Amino acid sequence: SVNQTPANVPYYFAAYDVPPSAVSFLRGQADLLTETELFAVLQHGDAGPWNALLTDDGTVAFLDWEAGEPRGLPLWDLIYFHRSASLLMSRSRPWENRRVRLRRDLIAGSPIGDRVASEVGAYVDATGLDRRAVEPLYHLCWVQRAIKEARRIPAERRTHGMFHRFLLDGIDGRDLPG
């Protein structure tokens, strides 16, 4: 089934210490996603700039499909790509840690965040994706990334997991311009 994400939410709750307000919010997002009509996409699974190649005709091609999913979820590659590109573009401020940069660029509102919103809107318009699915797909993308991350870090360090913290920051800042 393409709608695999709501089933994964309990794994996130088991792996991390999630505040009750975030638990409630994420359950609501999973429920909302199950109410929308989703279509399957060929999902790269690691769509970062390090796996992108600009071809001679100006299109972007992706390399390294080992994490590919033939029945993936829409928007996830685009969302992950922009998060990764944002980190690369904001390296000009090496004194800021990744969490600060991501909050500034993608949550608080910035030209980068405006670009992401514009591209997500264009994606929705081009594909006919139900607009109600955008916010749940956004937050649940980070749930999935946090679950993957939990496998690589010891339980005592999970509170510092990058995707876990980015997810919580996004939930806390969901009413901000980004």
Side-chain angles (χ1 to χ4, degrees), residues 30-165:
D31 290 345
L32 182 57
L33 194 58
T34 61
E35 297 168 7
T36 61
E37 184 100 13
L38 292 179
F39 50 84
V41 300
L42 178 59
Q43 184 178 330
H44 184 276
D46 190 20
W50 51 86
N51 282 330
L53 176 69
L54 189 61
T55 65
D56 289 340
D57 68 358
T59 59
V60 176
F62 283 94
L63 311 168
D64 187 13
W65 282 82
E66 69 186 32
E69 174 61 48
R71 295 193 43 79
L73 288 162
L75 279 180
W76 277 15
D77 281 339
L78 181 64
I79 291 166
Y80 183 74
F81 182 87
H82 279 294
R83 171 245 164 225
S84 301
S86 168
L87 286 174
L88 290 174
M89 289 185 291
S90 63
R91 281 189 176 167
S92 63
R93 296 178 176 202
W95 60 89
E96 290 180 330
N97 70 28
R98 289 186 297 185
R99 186 176 185 191
V100 169
R101 294 188 326 234
L102 286 171
R103 276 192 268 173
R104 180 195 64 233
D105 293 343
L106 298 178
I107 296 170
S110 71
I112 293 171
D114 293 345
R115 176 65 184 247
V116 173
S118 173
E119 290 189 18
V120 167
Y123 180 96
V124 167
D125 291 343
T127 63
L129 178 67
D130 186 334
R131 289 191 181 280
R132 296 175 303 157
V134 172
E135 185 177 16
L137 284 168
Y138 175 82
H139 292 292
L140 296 172
C141 174
W142 305 123
V143 166
Q144 184 67 15
R145 289 288 171 176
I147 291 168
K148 286 182 176 184
E149 184 178 49
R151 295 178 194 144
R152 295 188 315 265
I153 56 178
E156 65 274 5
R157 295 197 58 229
R158 288 190 189 145
T159 57
H160 301 290
M162 178 179 54
F163 293 109
H164 169 65
R165 293 187 316 173

Side-chain angles (χ1 to χ4, degrees), residues 19 21-22 99 107 139 166-176:
S21 60
R99 186 176 185 191
I107 296 170
H139 292 292
F166 185 55
L167 171 62
L168 295 181
D169 287 346
I171 292 169
D172 288 344
R174 67 185 177 272
D175 295 324
L176 295 173

